[in-house]
Structure formats: structure tokens, C-alpha cells
Amino acid sequence: MKIVRKILWIVLLLIFTVVCLALCYYAVVTKDVSLDANKLLLNEKTVTLYDGSGTRIKNLSSNALKQTVKINSLPKHVKQAFLDIEDKRFYSHHGFDYKRICGAALQNVKSLSFKEGASTISQQLIKNTHLTQEKTLKRKLKEWKLTKQLERKYSKEEILEKYLNTIYFGHGCFGLTAAAEFYFDKLPTELSVAESAILAGLVKAPNYYSPFKHPDKCEKRKAVVLNAMKNNGSISEEVKKQALNAPLPTPNSAQRKSSYLQAVFDELSFLSENKRFTVRGSIEIGTYLDQELQENIENLATSHTDSDKIFLVTEVEKHGIKAYYSSAGTFRRLPGSLIKPLLVYAPAIEENLLSPATPILDEKVRYGSYAPENYDNRYHGYVSARECMEKSYNIPAVKILDSLGTKKACSYMKKLGLPVEKDDESLALALGGMKNGYTLRDLACAYTTFANGGVYEYCGFIDYVKINGETVYKKASNPARVFSQDTAYLTTDMLRSTAKNGTAKKLRSLPFSIAAKTGTVGTQKGNTDAYALSYTSKDCVAVWLGNADNRYIEYTGGGLPCNYLLKINEKLYQNYQEKSLTIPDFSKPQGISVVELDKTAYYDTHTIIRADELSPASYRFSELFKTSAIPLNKSDSFSNPHIVEPTLEVKNGQVFIRLHERSPRYYQYKILRTDYATHTTLTLYEGEYFTTYIDKSPPLKSTCVYTVIPSYNRRKGTAVKLPAVSFLSGENPPAQKDKILENDWWKN
């Protein structure tokens, strides 16, 4: 018995010691922790944004900071929506819901995870305004002390009011007043049951449940809140059904103001969910914004209002978006011909299936039920890949994709951040045919890959995020090589031709090296989307014109969008000049060679061979190739003149010699006739190109052989002996070449 009492005393002593140590640790950790009433209020220091130069952005979002709402002015269903989904025992506990804590712990044990939380509204208010993002025992102890202080100092109504006035609702909305105005264009006092449920549902994950970005998920979350309100007796079954049937809000003009800042807050919500930090407290956000350029594109956008438009400017080196305007929010659209360099040309060059000089037959084709057409409803015969890109011909792009294979092409798209759905994998992809498409931002990010030598990095609005002085996010470099430097440069050079001579030729006046591509989406009834995109070694600029509701527009990519593209690039050039900076040319890799090609072979036989060193400039042209894929065959048409064998015909006692249609017109020609009866050779003709030569007086009692000798600049070429002609029988024998005659037997 004494032993049992002794053990009991030891256990009690140990417990007492542990409790004392815990209390001492708690006292030390929370010694300097105290409730700060100023942090419980929304003020101008709640959110601070900085532009790309580190200057504070003065005109914040119109939705970020709004006047606070008074709790007594709110309808009961507004308050209950938040209480029933966030903290249904709010009025009965003293800051901590122990029943909920135990339930959450049990669920986490069962699921072997930490998915279930048990924070009360009081705890959330403290975490949002006083604490860092760290998840440690120290932070939990501080939270405990501050929550107790909060509950002692303020009434439940005051705590709920401060919570509703500081919580983040996404899209740059801090506090219930800002959220009600942004999502519904209403005051909080005017919110319906359905609207209250939507806002209460947003608190858990504003980006994920946004009615503008993920309406399906928003509907499901709204239903969860309404069920909680019904189960807690806050609303009736009839009210719940009415609220479930109420439509979600749609974007309005107020939500499209300050496009850049709105995009920043959208990205903030996205980052908070993916990087697992909470948007709360004092927030500092570093962006890539160029405020002067932003003002310029906003003014430019108002110069034409017949359709919606999106402008975007990305800084190539930093992969940061420094200007952005949208009159229609963010959405995915079919890319049209903007997809061709990304899906077709660059992958084909990378796989060594294509070079800028590759001739492609633009002709009527059909692949099963699919028969692509060019935008001008014409066929252009053999066209170089460079010109196909310049003029944005459709049929050659489809042919290239057919040779490359859609699976291979789509693997490159995935690396560019443009995944293709399995159902969309068809040859129609070459022309942008798909179900959903991409955002303009996604397309611009992909194009910067070419400017970055084949390396892809996603472009963002936010450089860093600090919450309560702690850096919770810093944009890190995460490069992924998609194409070789050689492929990127060749694609860029082809797109430079597009800006000089092709569909984006409006940019040809710019005094710096620029690559560009245009695209148009539509049907025979009209166009729905018009794109123009350009990039330099410094910036990528993208323009989209269309309508959010898919109404038809009268523009093509090479028209008004290209005009906008020109004006934005002119502004960029002006800005660089004012800073004494230049826009460098694209750097040519060592693996690229300039090769002189034989023009005659290229256009006559559609073959790629290197030019003869002796060929005049007018009979050669230069093109870029990967050094590892330079054409092996070389022309000798000038250093060793040669021709296709002419045809010979005897008719009415005369001999007709006709040059082949591919015989060069720049050669000089000599025709010899050898008479085997007299063993003499006579020069019949010596001079320029001819179509047909007629020997009107051949030897009628002999057999003779005609020889045609081409030459260039007195350089004698390969002689061509024609079949022997005999007049001994008065008839022309069958054409044949006598080996003895060919060997000039009489000279042996």
C-alpha cells in the first residue's frame, strides 16, 4: 500500500511539474503578447501594393477598402449565414468551441490527416489580424491568450462586427461592405438569403468558390451554407429552396475597373490556396506594374468601344506582367492561328521535320471528313514554311501537324502550360479548333518561351507577398526547357518575317527587331475573336478583341488588333529611349547557320540544295538552318553545267532538237553534228537558250549523231549525245544509243 501511495505521489508530482513548466513556458512565450485594438480595424495600412520600381501604388482597388458595416444594421439572415457555417455555437462559447475541437480531432484521427479545423470566429479574427502564418505551438499559445483577451474586452456583437469588416472575400474585397458592392452592387443591408450564403461560403476559399471563376463550385458551396442555415433553424425549407434557385451574380462594369489590381488580387487568392497561407492582417504585395504604361493602355482601350478587349504586356526577363487591361474579365477563348507556331511550326522544327525553307504544297486536301480551307479560299502551290507562317496559310499547317502527329505536338503544348484535352486531339488543332481554348495570359506566357531561347516560365502579376512583415511568397524562377535555342531562334526569325511581310506587317515601321503573329476565329457568319501578339527581347505584348457574349465582330487579327499592337510597342520604345535604353536584337545561337540555296532547283523542282559557289546572286537565296541539319546536296549547275537530255525528232527530212523545260536559260548552248560517213563534226549552233533547233539540211545518205553542250561563262559543261539518226533507208530508225558510236570508235 505504501508503494502504491508512493507511486501516486510521484505521478502527481510529475504532473504538477509538467503543468508548472507548461505554465512557465506559456508565460514566457506570451509575455509580450497583447491585444491591439487598432489591428482589429480595416485601415489604409491593411493592404499596400508596390509597382515594379518599388513605388507604392496610391490608387488601390476601388473594392479594397470600404467603410465598415454596423452589426445592428444587418438583417438576421446575413449574420446567420456566417454563424451557421463558420461557428454555430458562437454566442454560447467563450472563444473556444471545445465540442467542435474534440469532433475535429476525432475526424482527423480517423482520416489520418489534419483536414478538419475547429477555429471559432473569435480565433479567426485574432489569426487574421495579429498572428503570422507559422503553424507552431508558440503561435497557438499566442492565439489562445489573445482570443481570451478579445472575449473579455468585446461583446459577441462587437467581435462579429470586426470579423465581418476584416475578412477577405477574394477579388480584392476586404470586409463585407466591399464584397456586397463588388459581387452584387448592393449594400450589406440589402443582401438576400442566397447572396448572404454565397458570401459566407467564399470565406473558406475565395478563389476556389468565386462565382465568376468557378460558378459550379460556388453553387455547391452555396447549397452547403443554406443546408447549415436550414438545419440550425435560421431559415425555412421554402426559403432554402428559393435561395437555391436564385441565380449567381455575373460580372458588371464595376468589377472590371482597375484591371491590373483586380488581376493582382485574383492571383493573391490563387497563391494563398496553393502556397497555403491566409490573406489577413497587414498585407504588402510587390507587383511588376509599370504605372505609366498601364495608364497608356487604359487610355488606348477607351479609344474604341465597339467590342470588348484585353491588352497585356509581359516583361520577358522577369516573367512579370507589367500592364494589363480587360473590359471583359478573364476567360478562355479559342486561339485561332495564334496556336500555329506553338503547336505546329516550333515542334516540327525541333523534331527536324521542318526548316524555314521547307517547301510545302498548298493544295486541296481531305482527311476523312475534315477538309481544311485557307482564309482566302485559294490554293497557292508550293510555298516555303516561312511564307506559310507569314501568310498564316491553313492547309500547310494541317499538313505539318499530320506529319508531326497530334500526340507529339500536344506533348509540347503541355510543356508550354497549354494542355490539350484528349477529345481535342485532332488535325483541327492546327487551326485552333478545340472546345475551350486558353486565356490571353496563357498564350502570352507560352510565346515568351521563344524570346527566352526555348525556356518556359509562367508569367505572374505578383513578385512577393508579405503578411504582418513575414514573406509568405516570393516568385521563384522555375525554368523548363521546351525547345532548343536553335528552334526558338528559327521560329522567332519566321515570326519576324510575319511582322515585316505577313499578316502583322503593320509593325514593319518599328525601328527594332520584333516577332509577331495574328489570329482570327470565326465562321462564315462572322468573326468572334481577333488576336495580335508580338515579342521582342524585352517585352511580349498581346491584344485580343471580341465580345464576352460571343457576338460577332468586324475585325481580323491583322486589322485593329495589330494597330493597337503597334501603338503599345511605340510606347514601349519611347519609354526605353527616355531611360537611354535600347531593345536589343534577338541573339543568334552558335548552332544556326546562314546557307545559300540554289533558287532554280528550289522553284523548279521544289528541292533544297546548296547553291554553287559560282552562281550569280540572282540565282541563289539565303535561309537559316540548324548547323546540324544543313542540306547535304550541293548544286554544280554553274561550275559544271549540265542539262536534262533534249528530245530529238525527225520529220519531213528535218531534225528537231528541243531543250528540256528545266534546261537553264542562263546557259550558252552548242549543237554539234557528227557525220559517220565522212567522219566529220560540224558546229550547227552556238548561242543563247533556245526552245527548238531545226537542222533543215541533215546528210540524207549517212548516219549522224547530235551532241548538245551547255556552258556558263565559257566553262564547258557535260556534253549530251542524242540517239543516232540514220537516213540510209530513208526512214528514221528507233531511238537508240550505239555504244560504238558513243565511244567514237573511229578515233581508236
Side-chain angles (χ1 to χ4, degrees):
M1 197 66 183
K2 289 183 179 181
I3 295 175
V4 173
R5 282 199 298 268
K6 187 174 182 180
I7 293 174
L8 182 61
W9 276 106
I10 292 174
V11 171
L12 291 174
L13 181 61
L14 288 173
I15 293 174
F16 178 76
T17 303
V18 170
V19 170
C20 288
L21 290 174
L23 291 174
C24 290
Y25 181 74
Y26 172 77
V28 171
V29 168
T30 63
K31 177 181 62 174
D32 299 322
V33 175
S34 61
L35 192 67
D36 186 344
N38 292 324
K39 291 182 178 180
L40 300 173
L41 301 174
L42 200 65
N43 55 58
E44 69 278 1
K45 293 184 179 180
T46 299
V47 184
T48 307
L49 270 69
Y50 299 93
D51 67 13
S53 64
T55 302
R56 182 174 180 175
I57 302 172
K58 295 181 180 179
N59 298 322
L60 199 55
S61 169
S62 59
N63 305 306
L65 303 173
K66 295 289 183 181
Q67 62 181 358
T68 57
V69 65
K70 297 298 182 183
I71 195 69
N72 294 331
S73 67
L74 291 176
K76 182 179 179 181
H77 63 259
V78 176
K79 294 185 288 185
Q80 286 303 134
F82 289 89
L83 293 173
D84 290 340
I85 194 65
E86 291 292 320
D87 190 358
K88 64 182 181 181
R89 282 181 285 274
F90 175 69
Y91 287 105
S92 62
H93 64 64
H94 299 289
F96 301 94
D97 189 343
Y98 298 107
K99 182 177 181 180
R100 188 177 175 190
I101 291 173
C102 293
L106 182 61
Q107 288 297 321
N108 288 334
V109 170
K110 289 181 179 179
S111 64
L112 299 177
S113 67
F114 294 95
K115 293 182 179 180
E116 291 292 328
S119 294
T120 63
I121 283 178
S122 300
Q123 288 176 277
Q124 289 183 48
L125 178 59
I126 289 299
K127 285 191 290 186
N128 291 346
T129 58
H130 282 69
L131 301 176
T132 64
Q133 302 286 320
E134 63 178 348
K135 295 182 179 181
T136 62
L137 177 61
K138 289 183 179 180
R139 198 213 68 172
K140 206 65 182 173
L141 294 174
K142 293 176 182 179
E143 178 188 319
W144 180 280
K145 181 176 181 179
L146 290 170
T147 302
K148 287 296 184 183
Q149 291 179 356
L150 178 73
E151 287 277 336
R152 286 196 296 267
K153 186 172 183 178
Y154 297 101
S155 68
K156 287 291 187 179
E157 293 293 290
E158 289 175 317
I159 293 173
L160 181 59
E161 179 181 281
K162 294 179 184 301
Y163 172 78
L164 293 177
N165 281 322
T166 56
I167 198 70
Y168 183 59
F169 290 91
H171 294 286
C173 300
F174 291 83
L176 185 61
T177 302
E181 179 179 330
F182 178 78
Y183 288 101
F184 305 106
D185 198 20
K186 290 183 176 182
L187 293 172
T189 54
E190 301 170 330
L191 292 171
S192 67
V193 172
E195 293 163 346
S196 302
I198 290 172
L199 293 182
L202 284 172
V203 173
K204 182 177 181 180
N207 181 67
Y208 189 78
Y209 295 116
S210 167
F212 304 145
K213 301 183 75 174
H214 305 290
D216 293 343
K217 295 171 183 176
C218 181
E219 282 281 15
K220 292 179 181 179
R221 181 63 177 168
K222 181 181 78 168
V224 171
V225 177
L226 290 172
N227 283 330
M229 295 178 73
K230 167 63 175 61
N231 294 337
N232 292 331
S234 300
I235 57 174
S236 65
E237 181 66 27
E238 182 179 354
V239 172
K240 170 190 163 184
K241 289 181 179 178
Q242 291 175 349
L244 283 172
N245 293 328
L248 295 178
T250 55
N252 55 54
S253 59
Q255 290 142 13
R256 294 166 185 165
K257 294 178 181 177
S258 304
S259 300
Y260 191 94
L261 297 180
Q262 187 58 62
V264 168
F265 286 118
D266 285 349
E267 187 167 294
L268 177 65
S269 295
F270 174 81
L271 291 173
S272 68
E273 292 174 20
N274 282 268
K275 303 300 180 181
R276 297 187 178 181
F277 63 83
T278 304
V279 180
R280 65 194 189 198
S282 176
I283 304 168
E284 296 176 75
I285 304 173
T287 74
Y288 296 96
L289 175 65
D290 182 326
Q291 296 198 59
E292 182 183 352
L293 182 63
Q294 179 68 24
E295 183 179 356
N296 177 263
I297 69 168
E298 288 180 358
N299 292 335
L300 184 62
T302 59
S303 65
H304 183 86
T305 57
D306 286 353
S307 66
D308 288 320
K309 57 185 68 68
I310 303 175
F311 298 161
L312 182 147
V313 183
T314 299
E315 190 171 355
V316 168
E317 184 178 358
K318 294 182 178 180
H319 308 283
I321 299 170
K322 62 184 190 180
Y324 176 75
Y325 172 85
S326 174
S327 65
T330 301
F331 48 80
R332 299 166 69 182
R333 300 294 284 247
L334 300 186
S337 292
L338 224 61
I339 202 174
K340 290 176 182 175
L342 305 168
L343 174 86
V344 178
Y345 287 96
I349 293 172
E350 183 72 9
E351 296 294 327
N352 290 322
L353 294 177
L354 196 74
S355 74
T358 302
I360 304 166
L361 181 57
D362 181 16
E363 61 182 343
K364 186 176 182 64
V365 293
R366 178 175 291 277
Y367 300 91
S369 60
Y370 179 54
E373 296 285 347
N374 289 321
Y375 67 92
D376 58 0
N377 294 316
R378 296 172 56 195
Y379 307 106
H380 307 88
Y382 277 97
V383 188
S384 71
R386 180 182 291 276
E387 187 176 350
C388 290
M389 180 92 88
E390 285 178 12
K391 304 300 192 297
S392 199
Y393 293 144
N394 291 336
I395 292 172
V398 175
K399 279 190 166 185
I400 297 169
L401 180 58
D402 183 48
S403 298
L404 177 66
T406 54
K407 185 175 182 181
K408 174 67 71 174
C410 291
S411 69
Y412 282 97
M413 291 291 284
K414 185 177 181 180
K415 296 176 184 178
L416 291 167
L418 303 171
V420 176
E421 296 180 24
K422 191 70 176 176
D423 293 343
D424 287 334
E425 291 187 11
S426 72
L427 293 180
L429 271 177
L431 313 183
M434 56 181 63
K435 288 184 294 186
N436 298 315
Y438 306 104
T439 66
L440 189 66
R441 175 185 181 180
D442 291 335
L443 291 168
C445 289
Y447 266 89
T448 58
T449 303
F450 299 133
N452 280 305
V455 175
Y456 170 81
E457 282 201 51
Y458 193 66
C459 305
F461 291 90
I462 296 177
D463 179 27
Y464 65 85
V465 178
K466 292 182 179 180
I467 296 181
N468 295 332
E470 176 191 3
T471 299
V472 296
Y473 169 76
K474 180 71 175 76
K475 189 175 185 301
S477 178
N478 188 26
R481 179 159 294 284
V482 181
F483 303 113
S484 66
Q485 288 184 324
D486 299 344
T487 294
Y489 186 81
L490 289 177
T491 306
T492 292
D493 198 68
M494 293 167 72
L495 291 171
R496 289 174 64 187
S497 296
T498 304
K500 291 178 182 178
N501 310 309
T503 57
K505 61 186 176 184
K506 284 185 171 66
L507 306 181
R508 63 170 59 168
S509 62
L510 294 172
F512 49 84
S513 183
I514 186 168
K517 185 72 184 77
T518 63
T520 306
V521 180
T523 64
Q524 292 180 346
K525 295 181 179 179
N527 298 330
T528 55
D529 305 84
Y531 295 92
L533 183 148
S534 70
Y535 62 91
T536 66
S537 59
K538 301 282 284 185
D539 302 290
C540 178
V541 183
V543 173
W544 170 86
L545 263 66
N547 286 301
D549 59 4
N550 276 314
R551 284 182 292 113
Y552 294 125
I553 57 175
E554 59 183 11
Y555 317 112
T556 62
L560 184 60
C562 213
N563 283 336
Y564 281 132
L565 201 62
L566 173 63
K567 292 182 182 298
I568 296 173
N569 276 287
E570 287 175 339
K571 179 60 178 175
L572 285 166
Y573 181 63
Q574 177 186 334
N575 290 351
Y576 285 124
Q577 281 193 315
E578 291 173 355
K579 298 175 183 178
S580 299
L581 297 174
T582 61
I583 300 177
D585 198 355
F586 298 103
S587 178
K588 186 171 75 171
Q590 292 183 348
I592 296 296
S593 298
V594 179
V595 179
E596 296 288 321
L597 299 179
D598 186 282
K599 184 181 290 187
T600 302
Y602 189 79
Y603 289 106
D604 288 353
T605 64
H606 316 295
T607 54
I608 301 177
I609 60 175
R610 288 179 291 155
D612 193 325
E613 289 92 342
L614 298 180
S615 64
S618 58
Y619 289 96
R620 65 170 73 193
F621 70 98
S622 61
E623 187 52 278
L624 298 177
F625 287 86
K626 293 181 182 178
T627 305
S628 59
I630 291 175
L632 298 177
N633 294 331
K634 182 179 179 181
S635 171
D636 61 352
S637 57
F638 291 91
S639 58
N640 179 30
H642 54 276
I643 58 173
V644 178
E645 182 177 304
T647 59
L648 183 147
E649 181 183 9
V650 178
K651 187 176 181 182
N652 298 326
Q654 296 180 335
V655 177
F656 295 78
I657 298 174
R658 296 182 178 89
L659 291 180
H660 191 277
E661 62 181 3
R662 295 206 303 267
S663 296
R665 295 178 179 271
Y666 49 79
Y667 283 173
Q668 290 80 45
Y669 292 88
K670 178 186 288 189
I671 299 177
L672 304 178
R673 185 183 68 199
T674 301
D675 186 336
Y676 287 96
T678 61
H679 303 289
T680 59
T681 299
L682 179 66
T683 299
L684 300 180
Y685 175 83
E686 189 168 9
E688 301 299 322
Y689 174 88
F690 61 88
T691 302
T692 303
Y693 174 81
I694 304 174
D695 184 2
K696 297 180 180 180
S697 303
L700 298 179
K701 294 183 179 182
S702 180
T703 298
C704 59
V705 171
Y706 292 86
T707 304
V708 181
I709 305 173
S711 62
Y712 178 76
N713 282 352
R714 299 181 181 179
R715 182 182 290 270
K716 185 178 178 181
T718 303
V720 178
K721 290 185 178 181
L722 304 181
V725 177
S726 176
F727 296 95
L728 294 175
S729 63
E731 295 181 2
N732 184 32
Q736 60 181 353
K737 287 190 176 181
D738 192 320
K739 203 69 176 176
I740 298 177
L741 298 181
E742 275 191 6
N743 292 335
D744 295 339
W745 57 272
W746 68 90
K747 294 182 180 179
N748 294 334

